[in-house]
């Protein structure tokens, strides 16, 4: 069964694969706090996503688009977020690294 993710890691790369996960019909939360390292999140295409990502020095990748961030916060919602039954709210705070979301 699904439970919200509250993840902290000082150094290293991380992959969250939600491809075989059946999300409950509600808002699901992934909270990530990282020092150094890259984070990749694999999300099924039918799941709506909301981003709130803060990076001191690094890059945010949405699909094929890369957005360099220097001490900035990036907020974004997929178009179908408000109406979608299954959705993920991603909150990430990263010192140095890359955050990437790949839609499966």
């Amino acid at each position: 069964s699904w439970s919200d993710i509250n993840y902290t890691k000082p150094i290293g790369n991380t992959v969250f694969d939600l491809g075989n996960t059946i999300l409950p019909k509600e808002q699901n939360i992934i909270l990530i706090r990282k020092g150094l390292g890259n984070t990749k999140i694999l999300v099924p295409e039918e799941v709506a996503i909301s981003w709130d990502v803060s990076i001191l020095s690094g890059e945010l990748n949405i699909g094929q688009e890369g957005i360099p961030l220097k001490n900035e916060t990036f907020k974004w919602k997929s178009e179908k977020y408000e109406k979608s039954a299954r959705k993920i709210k991603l909150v990430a705070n990263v010192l140095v690294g890359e955050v990437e979301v790949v839609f499966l």
Side-chain angles (χ1 to χ4, degrees):
S1 66
W2 169 267
S3 64
D4 291 337
I5 298 172
N6 184 353
Y7 185 79
T8 303
K9 186 171 187 176
I11 298 173
N13 296 330
T14 307
V15 176
F16 295 98
D17 186 355
L18 306 178
N20 292 324
T21 304
I22 298 174
L23 295 171
K25 291 185 177 182
E26 57 188 49
Q27 178 173 286
N28 302 281
I29 299 173
I30 299 175
L31 175 61
I32 301 169
R33 290 177 302 278
K34 289 191 74 169
L36 293 126
N38 298 330
T39 304
K40 181 182 276 190
I41 304 159
L42 306 171
V43 180
E45 188 79 31
E46 67 275 1
V47 175
I49 191 163
S50 168
W51 296 63
D52 188 345
V53 179
S54 298
I55 299 177
L56 183 63
S57 179
E59 186 170 276
L60 174 63
N61 291 311
I62 304 170
Q64 300 298 322
E65 182 181 351
I67 302 165
L69 297 176
K70 301 274 188 219
N71 196 23
E72 296 177 74
T73 299
F74 182 85
K75 294 183 180 190
W76 179 83
K77 285 183 184 179
S78 56
E79 293 177 16
K80 59 185 179 180
Y81 186 79
E82 298 301 330
K83 296 178 183 177
S84 180
R86 290 184 170 86
K87 50 189 158 187
I88 294 175
K89 181 175 183 176
L90 170 67
V91 179
N93 297 304
V94 178
L95 291 177
V96 178
E98 178 181 294
V99 177
E100 178 179 13
V101 171
V102 177
F103 293 99
L104 304 174

